[in-house]
Amino acid sequence: MSSDDEQGPDDYCLIDATRPPKADGPPYAECVLCREPTEYPESYKGITYCPVCEWQEAQRTACSG
């Protein structure tokens, strides 16, 4: 096997996993799916998920293979 055939751990599933900063305390942002409080500050602008929906979304979008 040549070195061109070998793949490193970063050669697949290149998904931008940028996360908002964790909140130090209330108020918390709402989950965009179930409207439960998240771990993120209310001031964060963007998509926020509660821990349950975040895990389910990660499972849904995980690479298979």
Side-chain angles (χ1 to χ4, degrees):
M1 180 187 287
S2 71
S3 62
D4 292 337
D5 294 335
E6 295 175 18
Q7 290 185 346
D10 297 328
D11 290 343
Y12 58 94
C13 295
L14 299 177
I15 297 173
D16 182 11
T18 305
R19 292 179 157 194
K22 298 282 185 188
D24 292 331
Y28 298 109
E30 280 186 348
C31 175
V32 297
L33 297 177
C34 69
R35 304 185 67 91
E36 290 293 319
T38 67
E39 299 174 342
Y40 307 113
E42 192 175 59
S43 61
Y44 179 76
K45 302 295 183 213
I47 296 173
T48 55
Y49 296 114
C50 70
V52 173
C53 291
E54 188 170 9
W55 182 83
Q56 290 173 340
E57 183 70 9
Q59 291 295 313
R60 189 183 70 75
T61 60
C63 296
S64 61

